[in-house]
Structure formats: structure tokens, C-alpha cells
Amino acid sequence: MRSHSRRKFLKGVGASLGASLLFSPFYDSIANAAPGKKPKRLLIFFTMGTAPSIWKPKSVSGETPTFSESTSPLEEVKEHIVMLDGLPSGSPSNNHGSADGLTGMGYYSNGPYGLISVDQYIVEKLKGSGLSTPIPSLLLGAAVEGGKTGFYKGTNLSPIASPTSAYSTVFTGFTPSNNQGSNDNGAAEALLKRRKSVLDNLTKELTSLKGNLGKEQQYKLDLHLESIRQLEQRLSNTMTPGGGGGGTGACSVPASPNGDMTNGLKANQLHLDIIVGAFACDITRVAAIQWGSDQMMNANLSEIGLAGEEHNGMIHTGAPAHLDLIKLEKWLHQQFVGVIKKLKATPEADGSGTLLDNTLVAWCRDMGDAPNHTQNEMKFVLASGNGGYLKTAPGGRFIKSGERHERVLLSLCDAMGVTDFSGFGDPALGSKSPLPGIAAT
């Protein structure tokens, strides 16, 4: 392989391995989880904070909410919904750009993994439990440039931005177990060898480069090397009959993405379809989607008469502009409800109900009060299926709690069968336990 300058080589590596950076180490499904209680999967829906005045219910009777205009789409799936409000972070004055949202305590770096978000923590903790999937964690999100995401594993992780790239990463070479067509195995094997050859060469050059880097750069390079090993395993799995990992039944690969990919919000709609398909074919068990970054989200939705930027154009221009924020939040709630309905409409390949019956969906945010830039009242919307992890009610549930928001993140861990919380969140938080009252008993 011809030599490259260090700067040119690193630039090339960044372009070729951007997608593989997303994959934390392989993790395993929970084979002995209690039926109907522990989900197989976690989907995190992550956005910037909102204005409390437009998010909170109009009224609450017991725990039953009357949804506001911006949250009104939840009415359609209310029997699956638990809304949580009032939970302060460990550093309430931290604002957008803080990592607290999914890490529990944004600046804790002394744990075994360094700074880590709950999705990546779950993946790490589920290592070695017996059954792996081709992609351990799938991070997607269009138009997040110019700011941070909520995802961390030692460093801030960038999602796959392009739906076309995401689709290729997830489904290229995958053969669903219900595929009756013939495959050109010779051509597939040749393609696999070429791909693995490229990866072998990259591994050699990266290993050679490591000795010339500082400690922080070496750590990031280790992530690259690990991601290459994951991709090698992913490619090997494509030659396995049925593809896909742990599933034994039939699944249907979705059609390749087709739509407006220049519009970040519309591109994320395509990403949601990819996530549902990846869940259905057991290609991943942990997925997350980021809407915009911590600094901005361009919202150009002509069908609802909305054009503008969320952060400066809607959050920080005062109450009149909250009319636009209501439109945007209502649209985002429609996407949240839409993916819940798709999960509910998709049968499990093994016949054990629907995808929603075995999935926990969590809408998380980086701030509780975006106009005031505080984390005093962090907000969550959780959803699960029939007999799932959550304690649900026909009219939905709204809970206001003064407990630390980290305890909700611990509930996500608990839902996925992770009960050892060492190294996650705020080291000063004495009692590490899930938030009481939200899990079914």
C-alpha cells in the first residue's frame, strides 16, 4: 500500500470509518429475562430541551394527563405512555452542550469506561452474556453538525447521518431468513474477501501509527481499531445463512430509503424505518436517533407551515415564537408516535408478539427547561408494549418527581437486565437504583 502523510491518512480513515465508529463492543441479548417484563431492545429518541410551558399536561387527574397541544399526538398511543417531569440532573446549571442528558453526570471520567452514555453503558454491561447481534448499537441522526450529540463512550460519538449509508451499513449482505430467492454466493464471497482485505490493510496502518500519537489520540485510535474488528465480524456474519444474529424466524428487510435526504428531519424519518427493520431482523438490540445537535436544528416543514431554526429561532425569542416551537414539538411527537405504531404493527420473527411488546422506547433530552438553559426539571416520555417493562394505564401516566434524572437512566439499564450500575453516572449519588413507580411489578 502506498504511503500517506499522517494528516492525509487520518482524513481518509475518518471518511472511511465514520460509520464503524458508532459500534461499541458486541453485547448479548438477555436469554433468561422474565417474559413480559424485560424487553429485548432499547430505542432512544434524543432531542434538545423544550419549553416547560408547552410540554406539561393541561391537567392531571391522579396520574392521567390531559395532553397539551404539543404533546397531543401521544393521545393515540396513551395506553403505552409514561411521562416523567421534574427530575433534576446532578448539575442543574449545566445547559445545552452538557453531556448530562444520557450520562447521568456529564463530567464524570473516573469510571471504568470514562464518560459514557446509558446506551453505550448497557452495551458494555451486556457483553459476554451468550448471544451477540451483528451491530451492538446503532446510532443514527441527520443534520447534527455544528454541535454535540447525547452519545458518549470516552468521547462524543457521531451518528450515521445519511439514510443511504445507514441502510447499507445495516442491510448490505444480510439475507433474511424468509428470503426465497437465490444468491450468487461466489460473487458475495469475492466481495467479502475484498472488504476484509481493505480492513486488514487499515488495521496494519493504524497500528503502526499508534506509536506516534499522544495518550488521548491513542485512545481514540483504539476506538477505530475496535470498530474495525466489529466490522470484520459484521462482514463475516453476512455469509451466515439467515444473517442477522440471534433471531430464528422470518423478517422482512425494508425498502432502501427514498425521500428528501437533504432535509435533516425528513432524513430522520427514513432512519426510523431502518431502526425498525434492524430490530425486526435482530441485527441490533440497542438503537438511538438524534434530532439536530445540542446547538441547533433546522426545521423546514412546509406541510405544517414551519421554517426556521429551533434553538435561536424558537426557544430563545420569547413566548410568541413558542407558537413555532409548538408546531415543531407536535411534529416530533408525531414521529415518536409513528415509530411506536410501526413497532406495534411489526410481528416478532419468533411469533412472540410484536416488536413493541419487547421494546422500551425512551424520549430523552439534554435540558429540562431550554429557554432558561437549566436541567432542574428533566423530562422523559417512555413507551412499552403489552405486558412490557412499564407500569401503564389506559389513559397514560404522568409522574412528577424530585428524584435525580439519573434514576430514569438506571431504569433503562434495569429494563435491559443490567443491575450493576458501577461506573455509571454521578459517583456522589449514594443510592444507585432505578426510579420507583415506573416499572410493572
Side-chain angles (χ1 to χ4, degrees):
M1 180 178 286
R2 63 187 178 87
S3 61
H4 300 271
S5 71
R6 177 175 166 183
R7 176 177 295 179
K8 188 173 182 179
F9 175 69
L10 284 175
K11 184 177 180 181
V13 167
S16 62
L17 295 183
S20 63
L21 259 178
L22 305 175
F23 305 149
S24 58
F26 271 58
Y27 70 101
D28 302 297
S29 62
I30 305 302
N32 55 357
K37 298 301 179 184
K38 300 294 185 182
K40 295 178 182 178
R41 310 174 194 86
L42 173 66
L43 169 56
I44 293 178
F45 189 103
F46 195 79
T47 66
M48 191 185 290
T50 186
S53 61
I54 71 168
W55 184 88
K56 66 182 182 181
K58 293 179 180 178
S59 63
V60 180
S61 176
E63 290 184 341
T64 304
T66 299
F67 299 109
S68 68
E69 177 65 18
S70 68
T71 65
S72 60
L74 297 177
E75 179 75 25
E76 194 171 355
V77 292
K78 61 186 177 183
E79 69 274 17
H80 299 295
I81 294 295
V82 177
M83 300 178 73
L84 301 168
D85 192 12
L87 301 106
S89 78
S91 304
S93 61
N94 285 350
N95 52 69
H96 67 88
S98 164
D100 292 35
L102 293 180
T103 67
M105 186 63 175
Y107 303 103
Y108 175 40
S109 60
N110 298 318
Y113 309 113
L115 183 61
I116 191 164
S117 53
V118 66
D119 53 301
Q120 301 303 307
Y121 185 79
I122 289 170
V123 167
E124 287 288 343
K125 283 294 184 178
L126 296 182
K127 270 184 175 182
S129 63
L131 182 64
S132 66
T133 57
I135 296 177
S137 66
L138 180 62
L139 307 183
L140 305 181
V144 299
E145 68 276 359
K148 297 178 181 178
T149 71
F151 316 125
Y152 287 83
K153 186 187 173 189
T155 188
N156 192 225
L157 301 179
S158 297
I160 301 177
S162 163
T164 301
S165 296
Y167 185 89
S168 177
T169 298
V170 174
F171 296 113
T172 294
F174 173 77
T175 304
S177 54
N178 62 335
N179 187 358
Q180 301 301 316
S182 62
N183 292 308
D184 185 346
N185 288 330
E189 289 178 2
L191 177 61
L192 176 63
K193 288 179 180 179
R194 289 197 300 273
R195 288 171 169 174
K196 294 182 76 172
S197 175
V198 170
L199 292 175
D200 287 342
N201 286 329
L202 280 172
T203 302
K204 291 174 184 176
E205 288 212 21
L206 286 169
T207 302
S208 175
L209 177 66
K210 186 174 179 180
N212 299 321
L213 301 177
K215 185 176 180 180
E216 181 179 353
Q217 286 73 28
Q218 285 184 1
Y219 175 79
K220 292 181 178 180
L221 188 56
D222 282 339
L223 290 180
H224 277 291
L225 290 168
E226 185 175 345
S227 70
I228 291 175
R229 287 189 288 270
Q230 302 296 334
L231 191 53
E232 286 175 331
Q233 181 64 43
R234 172 74 176 95
L235 290 174
S236 296
N237 283 348
T238 67
M239 296 304 297
T240 301
T248 58
C251 77
S252 297
V253 173
S256 58
N258 181 23
D260 184 359
M261 300 186 200
T262 63
N263 183 321
L265 298 185
K266 297 298 182 68
N268 268 4
Q269 289 180 309
L270 302 175
H271 279 314
L272 287 174
D273 290 337
I274 292 170
I275 289 172
V276 173
F279 279 170
C281 293
D282 207 23
I283 293 171
T284 192
R285 298 276 179 99
V286 177
I289 185 166
Q290 172 100 19
W291 297 81
S293 71
D294 70 293
Q295 296 292 329
M296 64 180 296
M297 179 165 64
N298 289 315
N300 296 309
L301 300 167
S302 59
E303 66 270 27
I304 60 172
L306 186 64
E309 193 279 309
E310 178 195 30
H311 182 205
N312 292 312
M314 301 178 194
I315 288 174
H316 283 315
T317 51
H322 286 173
L323 294 175
D324 282 344
L325 187 59
I326 289 171
K327 287 183 180 180
L328 175 58
E329 283 278 327
K330 185 175 182 178
W331 187 89
L332 288 170
H333 278 81
Q334 288 170 342
Q335 310 319 303
F336 182 74
V337 168
V339 75
I340 291 171
K341 291 172 65 178
K342 287 175 184 176
L343 292 169
K344 189 174 181 178
T346 306
E348 288 281 5
D350 62 5
S352 61
T354 71
L355 295 186
L356 184 61
D357 292 336
N358 297 299
T359 302
L360 179 62
V361 187
W363 187 340
C364 309
R365 298 178 184 267
D366 70 342
M367 291 179 288
D369 184 341
N372 290 313
H373 276 206
T374 69
Q375 297 180 336
N376 287 307
E377 297 185 351
M378 299 293 275
K379 294 165 173 55
F380 298 85
V381 184
L382 308 181
S384 70
N386 296 327
Y389 178 76
L390 297 175
K391 177 184 177 182
T392 56
R397 297 181 68 209
F398 175 83
I399 301 171
K400 188 162 186 176
S401 170
E403 297 287 344
R404 288 276 291 274
H405 98 287
E406 180 185 327
R407 299 189 71 179
V408 181
L409 304 180
L410 297 181
S411 292
L412 304 187
C413 294
D414 179 64
M416 293 296 289
V418 175
T419 56
D420 175 10
F421 308 131
S422 58
F424 180 77
D426 184 358
L429 185 61
S431 175
K432 294 280 186 178
S433 59
L435 187 71
I438 66 171
T441 56

